[in-house]
Amino acid sequence: MPLQTGLSAAVEIVVGDDDTAIAIGSGSVPVLATPRLVALCEQAAVAAIDGQLEDGSTSVGMRVQVDHLMPTAVGAPVTAEATLEKVSGRRLTFTVSASDHRGLIAAGRVTRVVVDYDRFMEKAN
């Protein structure tokens, strides 16, 4: 069964010390790191298609285009949402956004590609 546009999911974290720019090494401020935010958006995209791929297939990241608009302090909850916007062969494009208690903190797109798990891993070794 082919993937259908409109599949969506949301994931949430509470920002901890390990999620900060200082901890990840992407900056000198104790707020949610952009790489951690990107990972959360990717996690939402993966969750949106969970259980929808053929056996032996998985999806891998190809492109991330996210604008990180606002800082989020340690202790604040952050929710990332992803919606499958376009299916072009094996290429899946998601719209993503993230919000904290004050509103929108990030928005963009994530592109993932459906691959055969075993063949992909052979290329990695």
Side-chain angles (χ1 to χ4, degrees), residues 15 24 28 30 34 43-44 48 62 67 70 88-89 104-105:
V15 178
I24 290 178
S28 60
T34 301
Q43 185 182 350
M62 179 191 150
D67 293 328
M70 297 286 292
S88 180
L104 185 70
I105 63 165

Side-chain angles (χ1 to χ4, degrees), residues 30-98:
V31 298
L32 178 63
T34 301
R36 181 64 181 99
L37 176 63
V38 167
L40 193 63
C41 290
E42 288 240 63
Q43 185 182 350
V46 169
I49 58 171
D50 185 43
Q52 300 296 312
L53 300 179
E54 293 180 12
D55 288 343
S57 293
T58 191
S59 69
V60 295
M62 179 191 150
R63 178 178 297 127
V64 177
Q65 301 163 294
V66 174
D67 293 328
H68 193 169
L69 306 168
M70 297 286 292
T72 303
V74 171
V78 172
T79 302
E81 300 177 8
T83 301
L84 182 57
E85 176 183 285
K86 182 178 177 184
V87 178
S88 180
R90 297 181 307 127
R91 189 174 294 184
L92 312 175
T93 304
F94 298 83
T95 56
V96 295
S97 64

